[in-house]
């Protein structure tokens, strides 16, 4: 039966003449690769040596980059040479927990090398140690070339010894011995250096011993100082607590004063709103009163104009009545004069008078035709009277009688005209009297309207004065409310400022309290062998708040043994159990956080 193959496959890409990816599998038994000269058979053997860590002594190259495909006329150069070997490790030849081991090596044109074990990067030393454990490292007879068998048979006995040692595994131990010798020489050099350092440090150690002795002598003083500092810290803590309580009371008082001022301000604002509403109503009433006053003034002016017009009409009527009275008196005088004339004796005969009277009648008829009808009765009476007188006179001639009749007729006509004028004057006087009476009535009505308008004007003026007084009172109340509101706002601002100052003092006191408590806790923890969790860390002071925030208050925590934590519970601080940190390293943070104790 043939033994199973140790080398299962080899995969090449970019190595020497293998520009393309090439995968060669090996079965059980003997595998042979046949080809003409220059086909790359030796390059495949070089690939096996190169993948097992060969550094160029047997690769037929002048420099390491020569193993990368350099290109040809039709194919460009590549930037990496990659060889992967797949080995059967079922019998545990190589000390790894894999049944199949894949060894690989990559070389970049820049000169960088990558060594791979099952596609994981490893160091060259690790790869050599692994191969050395399987007798595959630096084994000159692992790859037997052409002529090497004849050379081995022709060797002298002393020359065959390395071959037997290599096969027997003695060379591997020899290589280990050489490495151990090299490490021993290096350790001796390091030991000499340590001796030099110890020689330099011994004087310093003596000085430190003296300082330690002095420190031991000062231990009691340091303890007293620590106790005094602790007492002072407690006193400051109590003082800060008292200041904090006082500040809290001041804040409460300031808030109460602010609430009272705010309530007073709201009350004044409501009063201002009511005053504004009342002032608006007063303004509306004042506007209505002004409108009524303007309307009454316009009516009064109209009544005054009508009264003046009626007074002028009454004066004109009085003047016209006086003129008519004068005309009536003149007409009465003319009538009386005519009567006197008619009472004189006639100097002419009746015939002549009648002739003259007829001529006068004709003239009068021609001139006063429209007045003949109205004055006919008067002429008849005058004729009868003249006839009677003519009959009574008996000595008067006919001409004188005619003249007398004409004269009487003329006088009668004049008297009738005077009567008509008197009648017309009386009618006109009656009309004027009626108009005067109407004017007097209108004047009386105008006087009554003027009186009512004056009364209404006085009432409107009184209402306007009341409205003005009410508006002034409302404005005064509004000004007073505004001043009170400003005073309340000033008090509220002062109360808020006092509250802010009290809050700031409270925060300062709280910070001082926390600082004093943290310092006391740190001193107590360090006295019992504790250390700060930040020892050994160098943090920029400007980044300290950010670090404290990121650590959620653990930046000043003290690392103590579990048994020492119970002895410092009187102080406030954060302690971390040291055993938890030691048990959880290297994962650390998540488990240690569960062991945080807040004392």
């Amino acid at each position: 039966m043939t033994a199973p193959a140790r080398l299962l496959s080899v995969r090449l890409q970019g190595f020497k003449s293998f520009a393309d990816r090439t995968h060669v599998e090996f079965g059980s038994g003997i595998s042979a690769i046949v080809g003409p000269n220059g086909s790359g058979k030796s390059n495949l053997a070089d690939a096996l040596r190169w993948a097992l860590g060969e550094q160029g002594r047997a690769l037929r190259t002048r420099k390491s980059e020569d193993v990368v495909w350099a290109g040809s006329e039709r194919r460009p150069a590549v930037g990496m040479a990659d060889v992967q070997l797949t080995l059967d490790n079922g019998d545990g030849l190589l000390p790894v927990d894999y049944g199949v081991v894949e060894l690989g090596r990559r070389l970049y044109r820049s000169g960088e090398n990558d060594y791979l074990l099952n596609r994981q990067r490893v160091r060259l030393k690790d790869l050599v140690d692994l191969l050395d454990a399987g007798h595959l490292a630096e084994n000159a007879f692992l790859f037997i070339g052409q002529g090497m068998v004849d050379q081995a048979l022709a060797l002298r006995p002393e020359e065959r010894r390395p071959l037997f040692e290599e096969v027997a595994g003695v060379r591997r131990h020899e290589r280990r011995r050489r490495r151990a010798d090299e490490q021993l020489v290096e350790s001796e050099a390091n030991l000499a250096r340590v001796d030099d350092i110890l020689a330099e440090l011994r004087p310093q150690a003596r000085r430190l011993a003296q300082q330690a002795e002095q420190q031991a002598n000062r231990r009691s003083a340091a303890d007293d100082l620590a106790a005094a500092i602790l007492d002072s810290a407690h006193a400051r803590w109590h003082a800060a607590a008292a200041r904090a309580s006082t500040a809290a009371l001041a804040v409460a008082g300031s808030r109460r004063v602010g609430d009272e001022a705010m309530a007073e301000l709201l009350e004044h604002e409501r009063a201002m709103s009511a005053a504004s509403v009342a002032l608006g109503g007063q303004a509306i009433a004042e506007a209505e009163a002004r409108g009524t006053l303007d309307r009454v003034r316009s009516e009064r002016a109209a009544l005054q104009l009508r009264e003046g017009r009626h007074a002028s009409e009454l004066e004109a009527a009085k003047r016209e009545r006086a003129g008519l009275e004068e005309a009536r008196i003149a007409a009465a005088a003319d009538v009386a004069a005519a009567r006197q004339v008619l009472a004189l004796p006639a100097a002419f005969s009746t015939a002549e008078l009648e002739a003259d009277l007829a001529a006068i009648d004709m003239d009068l008829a021609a001139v006063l035709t429209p007045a003949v009808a109205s004055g006919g009765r008067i002429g008849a009476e005058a004729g009868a009277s003249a006839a009677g007188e003519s009959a009574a006179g008996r000595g008067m001639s006919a001409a004188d009688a005619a003249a007398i009749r004409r004269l009487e007729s003329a006088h009668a006509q004049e008297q009738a005209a005077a009567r008509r004028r008197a009648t017309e004057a009386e009618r006109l006087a009656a009309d004027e009297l009626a108009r005067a009476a109407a004017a007097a009535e209108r004047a009386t009505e105008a006087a009554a309207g003027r009186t009512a308008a004056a009364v209404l004007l006085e009432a409107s003026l009184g209402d306007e004065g009341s409205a003005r007084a009410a508006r002034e009172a409302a404005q005064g109340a509004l000004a007073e409310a505004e001043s009170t509101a400003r005073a309340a706002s000033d008090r509220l601002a002062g109360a808020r400022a006092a509250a802010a100052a009290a809050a700031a003092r409270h925060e300062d006191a709280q910070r001082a309290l926390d600082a004093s408590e943290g310092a006391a806790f740190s001193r107590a923890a360090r006295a019992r062998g504790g250390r700060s969790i930040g020892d050994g860390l160098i943090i920029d002071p400007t980044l300290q708040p950010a670090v404290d925030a990121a650590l959620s208050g653990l930046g000043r925590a003290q690392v103590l043994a579990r048994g020492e934590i119970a002895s410092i519970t009187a102080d406030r601080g954060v302690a971390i159990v040291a055993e938890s940190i030691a048990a959880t390293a290297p994962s650390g943070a998540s488990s240690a956080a569960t062991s945080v104790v807040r004392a």
Side-chain angles (χ1 to χ4, degrees):
M1 296 179 61
T2 58
R6 175 72 65 183
L7 178 62
L8 300 179
S9 66
V10 58
R11 186 173 64 250
L12 306 93
Q13 183 178 4
F15 183 82
K16 287 192 174 183
S17 61
F18 295 93
D20 296 329
R21 180 184 292 271
T22 303
H23 186 242
V24 180
E25 295 183 355
F26 299 95
S28 59
I30 298 175
S31 298
I33 300 174
V34 181
N37 293 332
S39 60
K41 301 185 298 298
S42 300
N43 291 340
L44 182 59
D46 293 340
L48 296 175
R49 292 189 182 93
W50 185 72
L52 293 178
E54 180 64 41
Q55 299 301 315
R57 291 189 298 271
L59 296 179
R60 299 172 299 163
T61 57
R62 288 177 296 177
K63 55 183 180 180
S64 60
E65 290 82 2
D66 291 341
V67 301
V68 182
W69 168 255
S72 63
E73 296 179 357
R74 291 180 295 179
R75 295 180 62 87
V78 297
M80 177 187 70
D82 183 15
V83 176
Q84 302 288 336
L85 302 180
T86 303
L87 304 177
D88 184 7
N89 193 36
D91 55 355
L93 176 64
L94 298 178
V96 292
D97 297 333
Y98 298 103
V100 176
V101 177
E102 184 176 332
L103 301 176
R105 182 177 179 181
R106 291 175 183 172
L107 174 64
Y108 298 92
R109 194 170 290 277
S110 59
E112 298 176 0
N113 269 292
D114 287 340
Y115 297 94
L116 305 176
L117 175 62
N118 287 348
R119 300 185 181 181
Q120 299 294 327
R121 295 181 61 181
V122 295
R123 297 178 302 171
L124 176 60
K125 181 179 182 300
D126 299 332
L127 179 62
V128 171
D129 292 340
L130 179 64
L131 295 175
D132 193 13
H135 305 282
L136 299 178
E138 297 182 3
N139 191 341
F141 302 99
L142 182 63
F143 297 95
I144 299 175
Q146 184 177 3
M148 288 187 64
V149 176
D150 295 336
Q151 292 176 4
L153 294 176
L155 291 176
R156 293 190 300 273
E158 62 271 12
E159 293 177 349
R160 291 194 187 99
R161 181 178 179 178
L163 176 61
F164 294 141
E165 290 179 352
E166 185 71 37
V167 173
V170 177
R171 297 289 299 274
R172 178 165 61 91
H173 297 292
E174 183 67 23
R175 287 192 295 270
R176 291 181 179 176
R177 186 182 65 79
R178 286 198 304 270
R179 279 201 298 268
D181 291 339
E182 292 175 357
Q183 293 177 358
L184 183 60
V185 171
E186 185 178 358
S187 298
E188 290 177 353
N190 292 333
L191 183 60
R193 178 59 180 163
V194 169
D195 291 337
D196 295 338
I197 294 174
L198 288 176
E200 293 178 359
L201 292 178
R202 282 192 183 93
Q204 299 180 8
R206 286 193 293 271
R207 286 197 300 272
L208 291 175
Q210 294 175 359
Q211 293 178 2
E213 185 179 359
Q214 294 176 0
Q215 186 68 24
N217 295 330
R218 296 173 183 172
R219 182 67 59 86
S220 59
D223 293 339
D224 296 339
L225 179 61
I229 292 174
L230 185 61
D231 295 337
S232 176
H234 280 292
R236 288 198 300 272
W237 184 84
H238 290 296
R243 288 196 300 271
S245 61
T246 304
L249 294 176
V251 169
S254 300
R255 287 179 178 173
R256 185 172 59 256
V257 172
D259 294 338
E260 293 176 357
M262 182 61 70
E264 185 177 357
L265 179 60
L266 294 176
E267 184 66 26
H268 287 301
E269 287 181 352
R270 286 195 291 270
M272 288 173 59
S273 301
S276 299
V277 173
L279 187 60
Q282 293 292 337
I284 294 172
E286 183 180 356
E288 293 178 354
R290 286 184 180 277
T292 304
L293 179 61
D294 294 338
R295 186 172 63 257
V296 170
R297 284 178 177 174
S298 62
E299 292 178 357
R300 179 181 178 185
L303 291 175
Q304 287 178 352
L305 291 175
R306 290 172 59 189
E307 183 181 2
R309 189 170 59 254
H310 292 162
S312 62
E313 290 178 357
L314 183 60
E315 291 296 332
K318 286 182 180 181
R319 288 195 298 273
E320 188 175 358
R321 183 177 181 181
L324 292 176
E325 187 66 25
E326 291 177 358
R328 187 179 64 78
I329 293 172
D334 292 339
V335 170
R339 286 179 178 174
Q340 290 177 3
V341 171
L342 291 175
L344 293 177
F348 301 97
S349 62
T350 303
E352 293 177 353
L353 291 173
E354 289 180 356
D356 294 334
L357 186 57
I360 292 171
D361 289 336
M362 291 176 64
D363 295 334
L364 288 173
V367 175
L368 299 173
T369 302
V372 173
S374 61
R377 184 173 56 81
I378 298 174
E381 291 178 356
S385 177
E389 290 178 357
S390 175
R394 291 183 181 159
M396 193 177 296
S397 64
D400 293 335
I404 290 171
R405 283 195 298 274
R406 287 195 296 275
L407 184 59
E408 289 178 354
S409 177
H411 284 296
Q413 291 176 358
E414 292 176 359
Q415 188 176 8
R419 287 175 180 172
R420 286 195 301 274
R421 288 195 298 275
T423 302
E424 184 67 22
E426 289 177 356
R427 185 179 63 78
L428 293 174
D431 293 338
E432 291 299 328
L433 289 174
R435 286 196 297 273
E441 291 178 359
R442 290 195 297 275
T444 302
E445 293 176 356
R450 183 174 61 186
T451 303
V455 173
L456 184 59
L457 179 61
E458 292 296 332
S460 300
L461 291 175
D463 293 339
E464 183 180 3
S466 300
R468 187 178 295 106
R471 183 179 63 184
E472 292 176 355
Q475 289 178 351
L478 181 61
E480 183 178 359
E482 289 178 351
S483 62
T484 307
R486 284 194 296 271
S489 299
D490 295 338
R491 290 197 298 275
L492 178 60
R496 287 177 177 174
R505 290 195 299 272
H506 183 268
E507 291 179 358
D508 294 339
Q510 188 65 36
R511 285 196 295 269
L513 180 60
D514 294 340
S516 62
E517 290 175 351
F521 183 79
S522 299
R523 286 192 296 272
R526 289 182 182 276
R528 287 164 177 79
R531 60 180 178 83
S532 176
I533 194 173
D535 286 349
L537 296 179
I538 300 175
I539 301 175
D540 190 351
T542 59
L543 301 178
Q544 187 65 43
V547 174
D548 292 339
L551 294 177
S552 301
L554 297 177
R556 292 179 292 179
Q558 300 293 323
V559 181
L560 281 170
R562 187 181 300 274
E564 298 293 338
I565 293 178
S567 61
I568 58 171
T569 55
D571 297 318
R572 296 180 60 186
V574 179
I576 298 178
V577 179
E579 289 82 356
S580 299
I581 296 178
T584 55
S587 58
S590 61
S591 299
T594 62
S595 300
V596 174
V597 178
R598 296 187 181 272

